Amino acid sequence: MTEQDLRDKNGYLVGRIRTQYDGVLEVRDKYGVLKGRYDPAKNETRDSNGNLFARGNMLAALL
């Protein structure tokens, strides 16, 4: 499992994108609250409730 920090222009942590073992990416805010997931096999980004947000990887937009 790998993590990528997302920071604003001043260097403050906004959130993190974590790659799960099955290849699914999930984004969490700076407090660790799940905001959504991206499934590369389906090419779908879904919010934390499982609703379709967009086609493609739009995880950063969920923050």
Side-chain angles (χ1 to χ4, degrees):
M1 191 164 25
T2 62
E3 284 188 1
Q4 176 185 0
D5 289 346
L6 299 174
R7 298 184 178 272
D8 67 9
K9 65 180 181 176
N10 296 316
Y12 293 108
L13 181 67
V14 177
R16 286 193 171 99
I17 295 177
R18 184 178 298 165
T19 305
Q20 301 297 319
Y21 294 109
D22 58 359
V24 174
L25 304 172
E26 67 178 26
V27 66
R28 294 181 179 266
D29 66 12
K30 64 182 177 180
Y31 303 108
V33 177
L34 179 67
K35 295 297 181 179
R37 290 186 170 97
Y38 169 68
D39 186 346
K42 296 179 182 176
N43 197 30
E44 294 178 342
T45 299
R46 294 190 175 264
D47 65 15
S48 60
N49 295 319
N51 299 315
L52 182 62
F53 180 73
R55 301 278 180 202
N57 185 348
M58 298 294 293
L59 289 178
L62 290 170
L63 290 176

